[in-house]
Amino acid sequence: MKIPSGASTGGGGLGSGLRSRTALLLAFAFAVMADPVSSVAYAIEAALRALNGDLALLVPAMVLVVAIVALVIVNYRQLVARYPRGGGAPAAVGEAFGDGWSFIPIGALVVDFVLTIAISVSAGSSAVIAYFPDLAPWRLGFGLGLVVLVGAATWFGHLGRLVFAAMTVAFIVVSVVVLLYGLGATPKPLGTITGDPLRPPVLAVVLAFPVAMAMATGVEAATSAVAQLGQLDNDGKRRFGQLTLWLTLAIVGTITLGLALEAAQLHVGIPPEDSTQIAELARLAAPAPVFAAFQLVTALLLLSAASSGFQAGPGLLKALARHINRNGETVGILPPALDLTNHHHTPYWGVAVFIVLAGGVTAIAGGNDQELVLFYAVAVFLSFLGGLVSMALLARKERQPGFLVLNTAGALVVAFTLVANLSRGFPIVSLAAALAIAGLLYRAWTKAGRPRGIRNAAAEAEVV
């Protein structure tokens, strides 16, 4: 996702400059938050499934999810402040522990990008099937086709940031319309509504909320994407990055809790296989044209989120590839083919790699987003943990007790969420994959003579 070349912060007088700056902020913020906003399509349903359909506990579970997202965002504001040129968790880990340790969050990000593509196209397929249930038998083929289609579209040029922002805004607007209609709708039990009377409510919520922490994905994006804001100085980048994080929390939190509250009020439970919970909510609450619009904007937003993965992932591989920098030095650790781009500046071999990886993951999950959501939060929470532990160590070294307490609290909560997800068994595959990728990259790094600057790869990926 690149900033439109026409976005400028100078010229035309003070009023024109202010308007241009505001437009740039909105384009940046709504594009960056496309990933966390799109996770609303599957995260609420994932929590309800983990609660065995207990609607009475859905809202408390989602309140806890939003609270943890808020804690992560409060901490990640520091990352933006410390690294206004981008970098996020890899930069913090590299500064605190040394460049070699940066490969752990980098490996986690690679897994996160693959899963972003796979779960987004799968959820996009679910949104379409919820409106056209006759397509259900072709779910997997449809999902794999979307992986190739979105990857190919990226291959022939990156979509502008304004497109991502427009998809996010469209989803937000139509969601608000659905919620307003829902205020006057008549409750009607839909789907599976059971619950588990043997589990204490508090325990049920604690065990269920981690699967919905996919809502936190995308928080990391703002800390690296500020590198794209070449129009701004470091102070401007800090402000844009931090405002984006606050806007993300406000919008994602409001939509999430609004949909959860109305689902509980209208008795919309676990949906049938050919639908989704938010689709059933929109079908019940809103007129047919609004329901159709809701499914359309949901699918488009999810495909935009998949496209962002196809941009970020190959961009990261390109930043790590061997190439000659501006000083005439050969740098990088991966095969130079990953540095090759077409005339649209797209690293096409990197795109091909992610098409294969995301397609494979989609196939293994049968194109089912609810199968993938269990694995999704693991990789990004590994990155969160690395970033927060590093920030705590840096705060301790710099004698900042307030930040030390905040970072430590954030790290403990993130660690608990990560362990809770891993306790479900199969999600450990995501952790193993992230660590395996980190190990392979570390080995390539040592063979290349341990070149410096690896910690900045995530930032460089945004501007290549």
Side-chain angles (χ1 to χ4, degrees), residues 28-77:
F28 176 78
F30 282 103
V32 168
M33 72 174 71
D35 192 0
V37 171
S38 68
S39 66
V40 171
Y42 45 81
I44 301 173
E45 181 180 330
L48 184 61
R49 289 179 181 274
L51 290 166
N52 296 317
D54 194 337
L55 282 171
L57 299 180
L58 179 60
V59 173
M62 298 315 298
V63 167
L64 187 54
V65 168
V66 172
I68 293 175
V69 172
L71 179 61
V72 172
I73 282 177
V74 168
N75 278 276
Y76 263 55
R77 288 181 71 253

Short mmCIF file of all heavy atoms in Angstrom, two decimals, residues 28-77:
data_model
loop_
_atom_site.label_atom_id
_atom_site.label_comp_id
_atom_site.label_asym_id
_atom_site.label_seq_id
_atom_site.Cartn_x
_atom_site.Cartn_y
_atom_site.Cartn_z
N PHE A 28 -4.26 7.54 5.12
CA PHE A 28 -3.31 6.65 5.79
C PHE A 28 -4.01 5.82 6.86
O PHE A 28 -3.89 4.59 6.89
CB PHE A 28 -2.19 7.49 6.42
CG PHE A 28 -1.21 6.68 7.23
CD1 PHE A 28 -0.23 5.96 6.59
CD2 PHE A 28 -1.27 6.67 8.61
CE1 PHE A 28 0.70 5.21 7.32
CE2 PHE A 28 -0.36 5.93 9.35
CZ PHE A 28 0.63 5.21 8.71
N ALA A 29 -4.77 6.48 7.73
CA ALA A 29 -5.38 5.80 8.88
C ALA A 29 -6.39 4.74 8.44
O ALA A 29 -6.35 3.60 8.91
CB ALA A 29 -6.05 6.82 9.80
N PHE A 30 -7.31 5.10 7.53
CA PHE A 30 -8.35 4.15 7.15
C PHE A 30 -7.80 3.01 6.30
O PHE A 30 -8.36 1.91 6.30
CB PHE A 30 -9.48 4.87 6.42
CG PHE A 30 -10.40 5.60 7.35
CD1 PHE A 30 -10.31 6.97 7.49
CD2 PHE A 30 -11.33 4.91 8.10
CE1 PHE A 30 -11.15 7.65 8.37
CE2 PHE A 30 -12.18 5.58 8.97
CZ PHE A 30 -12.09 6.95 9.11
N ALA A 31 -6.67 3.25 5.60
CA ALA A 31 -6.05 2.15 4.86
C ALA A 31 -5.34 1.20 5.81
O ALA A 31 -5.48 -0.03 5.70
CB ALA A 31 -5.06 2.70 3.83
N VAL A 32 -4.60 1.73 6.77
CA VAL A 32 -3.86 0.90 7.71
C VAL A 32 -4.80 0.07 8.57
O VAL A 32 -4.51 -1.08 8.91
CB VAL A 32 -2.94 1.78 8.59
CG1 VAL A 32 -2.40 0.98 9.77
CG2 VAL A 32 -1.80 2.35 7.76
N MET A 33 -5.97 0.63 8.92
CA MET A 33 -6.88 -0.11 9.79
C MET A 33 -7.76 -1.11 9.04
O MET A 33 -8.62 -1.76 9.62
CB MET A 33 -7.74 0.85 10.62
CG MET A 33 -8.82 1.57 9.84
SD MET A 33 -9.92 2.56 10.91
CE MET A 33 -8.84 3.90 11.40
N ALA A 34 -7.53 -1.27 7.72
CA ALA A 34 -8.34 -2.21 6.95
C ALA A 34 -8.25 -3.62 7.52
O ALA A 34 -9.25 -4.36 7.57
CB ALA A 34 -7.90 -2.22 5.48
N ASP A 35 -7.06 -4.02 7.96
CA ASP A 35 -6.88 -5.37 8.48
C ASP A 35 -7.66 -5.60 9.78
O ASP A 35 -8.48 -6.53 9.86
CB ASP A 35 -5.38 -5.64 8.69
CG ASP A 35 -5.09 -7.11 8.93
OD1 ASP A 35 -6.03 -7.92 8.96
OD2 ASP A 35 -3.91 -7.46 9.09
N PRO A 36 -7.47 -4.77 10.83
CA PRO A 36 -8.26 -5.01 12.05
C PRO A 36 -9.76 -4.83 11.85
O PRO A 36 -10.55 -5.55 12.46
CB PRO A 36 -7.69 -3.99 13.05
CG PRO A 36 -6.98 -2.98 12.24
CD PRO A 36 -6.48 -3.69 11.03
N VAL A 37 -10.17 -3.88 11.01
CA VAL A 37 -11.60 -3.69 10.77
C VAL A 37 -12.18 -4.93 10.07
O VAL A 37 -13.27 -5.41 10.42
CB VAL A 37 -11.86 -2.43 9.93
CG1 VAL A 37 -13.33 -2.36 9.51
CG2 VAL A 37 -11.53 -1.18 10.74
N SER A 38 -11.44 -5.48 9.10
CA SER A 38 -11.95 -6.64 8.37
C SER A 38 -12.07 -7.87 9.28
O SER A 38 -12.88 -8.77 9.01
CB SER A 38 -11.05 -6.96 7.18
OG SER A 38 -9.78 -7.44 7.60
N SER A 39 -11.28 -7.92 10.36
CA SER A 39 -11.33 -9.09 11.24
C SER A 39 -12.66 -9.20 11.98
O SER A 39 -12.99 -10.26 12.53
CB SER A 39 -10.18 -9.05 12.25
OG SER A 39 -10.31 -7.96 13.14
N VAL A 40 -13.43 -8.12 11.99
CA VAL A 40 -14.77 -8.17 12.58
C VAL A 40 -15.61 -9.25 11.90
O VAL A 40 -16.48 -9.88 12.52
CB VAL A 40 -15.46 -6.79 12.44
CG1 VAL A 40 -16.93 -6.87 12.84
CG2 VAL A 40 -14.74 -5.75 13.30
N ALA A 41 -15.31 -9.51 10.62
CA ALA A 41 -16.10 -10.46 9.83
C ALA A 41 -16.04 -11.88 10.38
O ALA A 41 -16.95 -12.68 10.12
CB ALA A 41 -15.64 -10.45 8.38
N TYR A 42 -14.97 -12.21 11.13
CA TYR A 42 -14.86 -13.59 11.62
C TYR A 42 -14.51 -13.70 13.10
O TYR A 42 -14.73 -14.75 13.71
CB TYR A 42 -13.81 -14.36 10.80
CG TYR A 42 -12.53 -13.59 10.55
CD1 TYR A 42 -11.52 -13.51 11.50
CD2 TYR A 42 -12.33 -12.93 9.34
CE1 TYR A 42 -10.36 -12.80 11.27
CE2 TYR A 42 -11.17 -12.22 9.10
CZ TYR A 42 -10.18 -12.17 10.06
OH TYR A 42 -9.03 -11.46 9.82
N ALA A 43 -13.98 -12.63 13.71
CA ALA A 43 -13.50 -12.74 15.09
C ALA A 43 -14.65 -12.88 16.11
O ALA A 43 -14.54 -13.64 17.07
CB ALA A 43 -12.64 -11.53 15.45
N ILE A 44 -15.75 -12.15 15.90
CA ILE A 44 -16.87 -12.24 16.85
C ILE A 44 -17.47 -13.65 16.81
O ILE A 44 -17.75 -14.25 17.86
CB ILE A 44 -17.94 -11.19 16.52
CG1 ILE A 44 -17.34 -9.77 16.59
CG2 ILE A 44 -19.12 -11.31 17.48
CD1 ILE A 44 -18.28 -8.69 16.12
N GLU A 45 -17.63 -14.17 15.61
CA GLU A 45 -18.16 -15.53 15.47
C GLU A 45 -17.21 -16.55 16.10
O GLU A 45 -17.66 -17.53 16.72
CB GLU A 45 -18.37 -15.85 14.00
CG GLU A 45 -18.94 -17.24 13.76
CD GLU A 45 -19.14 -17.56 12.29
OE1 GLU A 45 -19.40 -16.61 11.52
OE2 GLU A 45 -19.03 -18.74 11.92
N ALA A 46 -15.90 -16.32 15.96
CA ALA A 46 -14.93 -17.24 16.54
C ALA A 46 -15.07 -17.29 18.06
O ALA A 46 -15.00 -18.36 18.67
CB ALA A 46 -13.51 -16.83 16.16
N ALA A 47 -15.29 -16.12 18.67
CA ALA A 47 -15.48 -16.08 20.13
C ALA A 47 -16.74 -16.83 20.52
O ALA A 47 -16.76 -17.58 21.52
CB ALA A 47 -15.54 -14.63 20.61
N LEU A 48 -17.83 -16.64 19.76
CA LEU A 48 -19.08 -17.31 20.09
C LEU A 48 -18.94 -18.83 19.95
O LEU A 48 -19.47 -19.58 20.78
CB LEU A 48 -20.21 -16.81 19.18
CG LEU A 48 -21.60 -17.36 19.48
CD1 LEU A 48 -22.04 -16.98 20.90
CD2 LEU A 48 -22.62 -16.87 18.46
N ARG A 49 -18.21 -19.28 18.96
CA ARG A 49 -17.98 -20.72 18.80
C ARG A 49 -17.19 -21.25 19.99
O ARG A 49 -17.46 -22.35 20.49
CB ARG A 49 -17.25 -21.01 17.49
CG ARG A 49 -18.11 -20.81 16.25
CD ARG A 49 -17.34 -21.07 14.97
NE ARG A 49 -18.17 -20.86 13.79
CZ ARG A 49 -18.98 -21.78 13.26
NH1 ARG A 49 -19.05 -22.99 13.82
NH2 ARG A 49 -19.70 -21.49 12.19
N ALA A 50 -16.19 -20.50 20.45
CA ALA A 50 -15.41 -20.93 21.60
C ALA A 50 -16.25 -20.94 22.87
O ALA A 50 -15.96 -21.68 23.82
CB ALA A 50 -14.21 -20.01 21.79
N LEU A 51 -17.32 -20.14 22.89
CA LEU A 51 -18.25 -20.11 24.02
C LEU A 51 -19.37 -21.13 23.86
O LEU A 51 -20.32 -21.14 24.65
CB LEU A 51 -18.87 -18.70 24.15
CG LEU A 51 -17.92 -17.59 24.62
CD1 LEU A 51 -18.56 -16.22 24.37
CD2 LEU A 51 -17.56 -17.76 26.09
N ASN A 52 -19.26 -21.98 22.83
CA ASN A 52 -20.30 -22.99 22.56
C ASN A 52 -21.67 -22.37 22.35
O ASN A 52 -22.70 -22.94 22.72
CB ASN A 52 -20.36 -24.03 23.68
CG ASN A 52 -19.08 -24.84 23.78
OD1 ASN A 52 -18.52 -25.26 22.78
ND2 ASN A 52 -18.61 -25.05 25.00
N GLY A 53 -21.68 -21.15 21.76
CA GLY A 53 -22.94 -20.51 21.43
C GLY A 53 -23.59 -19.75 22.56
O GLY A 53 -24.75 -19.33 22.43
N ASP A 54 -22.89 -19.52 23.66
CA ASP A 54 -23.47 -18.82 24.81
C ASP A 54 -23.48 -17.32 24.55
O ASP A 54 -22.50 -16.61 24.80
CB ASP A 54 -22.68 -19.13 26.07
CG ASP A 54 -23.41 -18.72 27.34
OD1 ASP A 54 -24.28 -17.83 27.26
OD2 ASP A 54 -23.11 -19.29 28.40
N LEU A 55 -24.61 -16.82 24.06
CA LEU A 55 -24.72 -15.39 23.72
C LEU A 55 -24.61 -14.48 24.94
O LEU A 55 -24.20 -13.33 24.83
CB LEU A 55 -26.04 -15.14 23.00
CG LEU A 55 -26.09 -15.55 21.52
CD1 LEU A 55 -27.51 -15.45 20.98
CD2 LEU A 55 -25.15 -14.68 20.68
N ALA A 56 -24.98 -14.98 26.10
CA ALA A 56 -24.91 -14.16 27.32
C ALA A 56 -23.47 -13.78 27.65
O ALA A 56 -23.24 -12.76 28.32
CB ALA A 56 -25.54 -14.91 28.49
N LEU A 57 -22.52 -14.59 27.20
CA LEU A 57 -21.12 -14.33 27.51
C LEU A 57 -20.36 -13.68 26.34
O LEU A 57 -19.19 -13.35 26.47
CB LEU A 57 -20.41 -15.63 27.90
CG LEU A 57 -20.96 -16.35 29.14
CD1 LEU A 57 -20.17 -17.62 29.40
CD2 LEU A 57 -20.91 -15.43 30.35
N LEU A 58 -21.05 -13.52 25.20
CA LEU A 58 -20.37 -12.97 24.03
C LEU A 58 -19.90 -11.55 24.26
O LEU A 58 -18.74 -11.21 23.95
CB LEU A 58 -21.29 -13.02 22.81
CG LEU A 58 -20.72 -12.44 21.51
CD1 LEU A 58 -19.45 -13.20 21.09
CD2 LEU A 58 -21.76 -12.47 20.39
N VAL A 59 -20.75 -10.72 24.80
CA VAL A 59 -20.38 -9.31 25.02
C VAL A 59 -19.23 -9.19 26.02
O VAL A 59 -18.25 -8.48 25.75
CB VAL A 59 -21.59 -8.47 25.45
CG1 VAL A 59 -21.15 -7.05 25.82
CG2 VAL A 59 -22.62 -8.41 24.33
N PRO A 60 -19.27 -9.87 27.19
CA PRO A 60 -18.10 -9.79 28.09
C PRO A 60 -16.81 -10.25 27.42
O PRO A 60 -15.75 -9.66 27.65
CB PRO A 60 -18.49 -10.73 29.24
CG PRO A 60 -19.98 -10.72 29.25
CD PRO A 60 -20.38 -10.61 27.80
N ALA A 61 -16.90 -11.30 26.60
CA ALA A 61 -15.70 -11.79 25.92
C ALA A 61 -15.15 -10.73 24.97
O ALA A 61 -13.93 -10.48 24.92
CB ALA A 61 -16.01 -13.07 25.16
N MET A 62 -16.03 -10.07 24.21
CA MET A 62 -15.57 -9.06 23.26
C MET A 62 -15.12 -7.78 23.95
O MET A 62 -14.22 -7.08 23.45
CB MET A 62 -16.66 -8.77 22.23
CG MET A 62 -17.06 -9.97 21.37
SD MET A 62 -15.66 -10.93 20.72
CE MET A 62 -14.82 -9.72 19.70
N VAL A 63 -15.70 -7.47 25.10
CA VAL A 63 -15.20 -6.33 25.90
C VAL A 63 -13.76 -6.60 26.31
O VAL A 63 -12.89 -5.71 26.26
CB VAL A 63 -16.09 -6.10 27.13
CG1 VAL A 63 -15.41 -5.15 28.12
CG2 VAL A 63 -17.44 -5.52 26.72
N LEU A 64 -13.48 -7.84 26.73
CA LEU A 64 -12.12 -8.20 27.12
C LEU A 64 -11.18 -8.11 25.92
O LEU A 64 -10.03 -7.64 26.04
CB LEU A 64 -12.12 -9.62 27.70
CG LEU A 64 -10.80 -10.11 28.31
CD1 LEU A 64 -10.30 -9.14 29.38
CD2 LEU A 64 -11.00 -11.50 28.90
N VAL A 65 -11.64 -8.55 24.76
CA VAL A 65 -10.83 -8.47 23.54
C VAL A 65 -10.47 -7.01 23.24
O VAL A 65 -9.30 -6.67 23.00
CB VAL A 65 -11.57 -9.09 22.35
CG1 VAL A 65 -10.88 -8.74 21.03
CG2 VAL A 65 -11.66 -10.61 22.50
N VAL A 66 -11.46 -6.14 23.26
CA VAL A 66 -11.23 -4.72 22.96
C VAL A 66 -10.30 -4.09 24.01
O VAL A 66 -9.43 -3.27 23.68
CB VAL A 66 -12.56 -3.96 22.87
CG1 VAL A 66 -12.32 -2.45 22.74
CG2 VAL A 66 -13.38 -4.46 21.68
N ALA A 67 -10.45 -4.49 25.27
CA ALA A 67 -9.59 -3.96 26.33
C ALA A 67 -8.13 -4.34 26.10
O ALA A 67 -7.22 -3.53 26.30
CB ALA A 67 -10.06 -4.48 27.69
N ILE A 68 -7.90 -5.58 25.65
CA ILE A 68 -6.52 -6.01 25.39
C ILE A 68 -5.96 -5.31 24.16
O ILE A 68 -4.78 -4.92 24.14
CB ILE A 68 -6.47 -7.54 25.25
CG1 ILE A 68 -6.80 -8.19 26.59
CG2 ILE A 68 -5.10 -8.00 24.77
CD1 ILE A 68 -6.90 -9.69 26.56
N VAL A 69 -6.79 -5.13 23.14
CA VAL A 69 -6.36 -4.36 21.97
C VAL A 69 -5.95 -2.95 22.41
O VAL A 69 -4.94 -2.41 21.95
CB VAL A 69 -7.46 -4.31 20.90
CG1 VAL A 69 -7.07 -3.35 19.77
CG2 VAL A 69 -7.72 -5.70 20.32
N ALA A 70 -6.73 -2.37 23.32
CA ALA A 70 -6.42 -1.02 23.82
C ALA A 70 -5.08 -1.01 24.54
O ALA A 70 -4.27 -0.08 24.37
CB ALA A 70 -7.53 -0.55 24.76
N LEU A 71 -4.82 -2.05 25.35
CA LEU A 71 -3.55 -2.12 26.07
C LEU A 71 -2.38 -2.24 25.10
O LEU A 71 -1.34 -1.58 25.27
CB LEU A 71 -3.57 -3.32 27.03
CG LEU A 71 -2.29 -3.55 27.85
CD1 LEU A 71 -2.01 -2.33 28.74
CD2 LEU A 71 -2.42 -4.81 28.70
N VAL A 72 -2.53 -3.05 24.07
CA VAL A 72 -1.48 -3.18 23.06
C VAL A 72 -1.25 -1.85 22.34
O VAL A 72 -0.10 -1.43 22.13
CB VAL A 72 -1.83 -4.29 22.05
CG1 VAL A 72 -0.83 -4.30 20.89
CG2 VAL A 72 -1.85 -5.66 22.73
N ILE A 73 -2.34 -1.18 21.99
CA ILE A 73 -2.22 0.09 21.27
C ILE A 73 -1.53 1.15 22.13
O ILE A 73 -0.69 1.91 21.64
CB ILE A 73 -3.61 0.56 20.80
CG1 ILE A 73 -4.02 -0.25 19.55
CG2 ILE A 73 -3.63 2.06 20.50
CD1 ILE A 73 -5.41 0.06 19.04
N VAL A 74 -1.89 1.23 23.41
CA VAL A 74 -1.24 2.19 24.30
C VAL A 74 0.28 1.95 24.33
O VAL A 74 1.07 2.89 24.31
CB VAL A 74 -1.84 2.10 25.72
CG1 VAL A 74 -0.98 2.88 26.71
CG2 VAL A 74 -3.26 2.63 25.73
N ASN A 75 0.67 0.68 24.37
CA ASN A 75 2.09 0.35 24.35
C ASN A 75 2.73 0.64 23.00
O ASN A 75 3.85 1.16 22.93
CB ASN A 75 2.29 -1.12 24.71
CG ASN A 75 2.27 -1.38 26.20
OD1 ASN A 75 3.27 -1.22 26.89
ND2 ASN A 75 1.10 -1.76 26.71
N TYR A 76 2.01 0.33 21.93
CA TYR A 76 2.59 0.50 20.60
C TYR A 76 2.70 1.97 20.20
O TYR A 76 3.44 2.29 19.26
CB TYR A 76 1.79 -0.30 19.56
CG TYR A 76 2.45 -1.63 19.29
CD1 TYR A 76 2.74 -2.51 20.33
CD2 TYR A 76 2.84 -2.00 18.00
CE1 TYR A 76 3.37 -3.72 20.09
CE2 TYR A 76 3.47 -3.20 17.76
CZ TYR A 76 3.74 -4.06 18.80
OH TYR A 76 4.39 -5.24 18.56
N ARG A 77 2.00 2.85 20.89
CA ARG A 77 2.22 4.28 20.66
C ARG A 77 3.69 4.64 20.96
O ARG A 77 4.26 5.52 20.32
CB ARG A 77 1.30 5.12 21.53
CG ARG A 77 -0.16 5.11 21.11
CD ARG A 77 -1.00 5.99 22.00
NE ARG A 77 -0.72 7.41 21.79
CZ ARG A 77 -0.05 8.17 22.64
NH1 ARG A 77 0.43 7.67 23.76
NH2 ARG A 77 0.14 9.46 22.38
#
